[in-house]
């Protein structure tokens, strides 16, 4: 999946799930990994990373 598509997926997931989007991406990553689909797992890992950047740093 190219970076544009990853960004589009991340934005859509963040709009749909808000702060839970990162957890949803992690869940999808684990599901793909469990199925042995390493390409899809890497896509979900990149989507999660993009969502984390969208959210910004955690406040303390």
């Amino acid at each position: 999946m190219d970076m544009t598509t990853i960004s589009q997926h991340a934005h859509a997931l963040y709009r749909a799930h808000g702060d839970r989007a990162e957890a949803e991406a992690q869940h999808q990553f684990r599901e793909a990994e469990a199925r042995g689909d390493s390409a899809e797992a890497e896509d979900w890992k990149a989507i999660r990373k993009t969502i984390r950047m969208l959210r910004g740093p955690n406040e303390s």
Side-chain angles (χ1 to χ4, degrees), residues 14-34:
Y14 191 65
R15 280 192 305 272
H17 294 278
D19 288 337
R20 296 277 311 142
E22 191 176 344
E24 178 61 25
Q26 180 66 20
H27 173 75
Q28 294 298 329
F29 167 78
R30 287 185 186 141
E31 291 286 319
E33 206 172 46

Side-chain angles (χ1 to χ4, degrees), residues 5-15 21 46-47 50-51 54:
T5 306
I6 287 170
S7 180
Q8 290 170 343
H9 277 66
H11 280 84
L13 200 60
Y14 191 65
R15 280 192 305 272
I47 291 168
T50 303
I51 290 168
L54 289 171

